[in-house]
Amino acid sequence: MRTPIKPKEISHILNELGEDRTKYYNAAAVPLMQNSIFTFDTIEDLRCGLNAQDSTCVYSRGKNPTNSILQAKLAALERTEECLLFASGMAAISAAVMSEVRSGDHVICMDQTYYPAVKLLKQYLVRFNIEYTLVDGKDLAAIKAAIQPNTRVIYLESPTSFLFDLQDLEAVANIAKEHGITTIIDNTFATSLYQRPAELGIDIVIHSATKYLGGCSDLMGGALCTDSVRCKNIFDGEFMTLGGIMPPFHAWLILRSLRTLPIRLKQHGSTAQYLCERLEKHPKIERVYYPFLKSHPQYELAKKQMEGATGLFSFDVKADDEQGIHRFCNSLKCFMRAISWGGYESLVVPFCVNIPEGTDYDNPAFSWKLVRVHAGLEDPNYLLEDIEQALEKV
Ligand SMILES: *Cc1c(COP(=O)(O)O)cnc(C)c1O
């Protein structure tokens, strides 16, 4: 059941949990343990360490003290037993999916999922005889209908990061449990502060730490939060074997960024809400996509399973052709033209950059007029005025 996370609890997790300053000269900030190896007094001790690499610092592909502090905090925020850190969000996603499937299994994946995750199924896991079905995640009946006797995983992303479609997480988790299927969710957009899927029954929760957890567009990282049994299994398997672990320096940078996560998210979210509400009324804009808009078809579900939304949103621009979209994006002065999101800066990316030039594009789900914006930490009116002047160039 969903229980709101109280500001006091968040403060404790971000400022105290997992830290023991007496171990490092009472330094206020967390130390960076930039070590590949840890030493032992005797060979007997080394042997014990090697047999328990998930709980003993032996080699940083296993446990590292700086990473351990971050793992404790992220698991507590997500309300899961444990957390593992990876070199990127994709490394975490790949480890999660691969830990659950065997040759001959089947995966159900939402059709608006972050494309590299779809590619893992479409181009990579098919080589190992793993089938997949893409379904419309808004449609519970479609998810149910896609279940086969060999379905092992339902892979979710809610909200999705271009059209902000939601899945009813509690309902999907219940269906999955009836069939013994593992549920995995990409929770990057909402973060653990605004959505904790494990409380709704989801088994594995993934984050791209490259986005809000890092928050400064200066690192890549991923996190996987789950129960201790799955965590141990993934640690011994994909984590240690594929080896895509997070460098301690990145964990240290994320620990710095976490201290400001609540205030950053509040600002990103309120600016996005303000811009969305203003842009909905703008004559040059057809439609705005953001889960906490009353016009969002799943607004009630958003309020039910999320405590807030962050800085990413999209809109369809009233343009006659793709050049109009280019002119709008190129005229923005305060938004940088770049992929990704989650840093302090505002960004813009039109969906049409993904469409090869000269192709006859016809996909009713994604309009070629779609533009995605990340609202950074700048003044909301500074950003609004910039969008308004650029809309005149469409
Ligand atoms: C960026 C992103 C990822 C992948 O994370 P990386 O750190 O780039 O590997 C996964 N899911 C979503 C929704 C993302 O935006």
Side-chain angles (χ1 to χ4, degrees), residues 232-337:
K232 172 95 179 88
N233 180 41
I234 297 171
F235 180 88
D236 291 337
E238 289 69 25
F239 187 80
M240 287 290 271
T241 308
L242 302 180
I245 56 120
M246 179 181 286
F249 181 50
H250 289 189
W252 184 78
L253 286 171
I254 295 169
L255 282 162
R256 272 183 95 167
S257 295
L258 274 191
R259 313 275 199 205
T260 57
L261 183 68
I263 52 173
R264 282 188 288 116
L265 290 185
K266 210 182 253 178
Q267 178 77 16
H268 285 296
S270 71
T271 302
Q273 186 80 32
Y274 174 73
L275 294 175
C276 285
E277 286 172 7
R278 297 297 290 262
L279 294 175
E280 262 196 319
K281 298 189 194 114
H282 196 287
K284 291 257 171 67
I285 289 191
E286 275 172 18
R287 184 175 166 189
V288 182
Y289 304 82
Y290 189 65
F292 275 65
L293 278 180
K294 290 201 180 76
S295 59
H296 190 287
Q298 295 168 297
Y299 176 65
E300 291 304 322
L301 178 60
K303 282 197 298 186
K304 185 176 146 217
Q305 66 188 20
M306 297 168 71
E307 275 154 64
T310 55
L312 199 68
F313 63 95
S314 302
F315 46 83
D316 290 331
V317 175
K318 266 185 201 151
D320 295 329
D321 54 22
E322 214 183 291
Q323 285 311 311
I325 303 289
H326 287 205
R327 276 194 300 279
F328 166 68
C329 293
N330 292 339
S331 303
L332 288 165
K333 298 187 176 81
C334 310
F335 290 79
M336 290 184 266
R337 285 151 289 274

Side-chain angles (χ1 to χ4, degrees), residues 87-91 93 114 155 157 161 186 188-189 207-211 220-222 340-341 372:
S88 67
M90 273 314 297
I93 290 169
Y114 179 70
Y155 185 88
E157 182 183 325
S161 61
D186 182 335
T188 304
F189 171 83
H207 293 274
S208 167
T210 313
K211 313 293 159 57
M220 310 244 3
S340 192
W341 44 281
R372 188 180 76 181

Side-chain angles (χ1 to χ4, degrees), residues 212 215 260 263-269 271 342-346 374-380 382-383:
Y212 289 119
T260 57
I263 52 173
R264 282 188 288 116
L265 290 185
K266 210 182 253 178
Q267 178 77 16
H268 285 296
T271 302
Y344 48 77
E345 69 285 281
S346 290
H374 178 248
L377 299 177
E378 304 91 334
D379 173 63
Y382 172 77
L383 299 176

Side-chain angles (χ1 to χ4, degrees), residues 118-134:
V118 178
K119 228 171 130 178
L120 170 72
L121 301 168
K122 211 170 172 166
Q123 293 185 7
Y124 195 82
L125 291 179
V126 286
R127 285 165 38 193
F128 302 92
N129 190 30
I130 290 151
E131 303 177 277
Y132 69 94
T133 307
L134 298 180

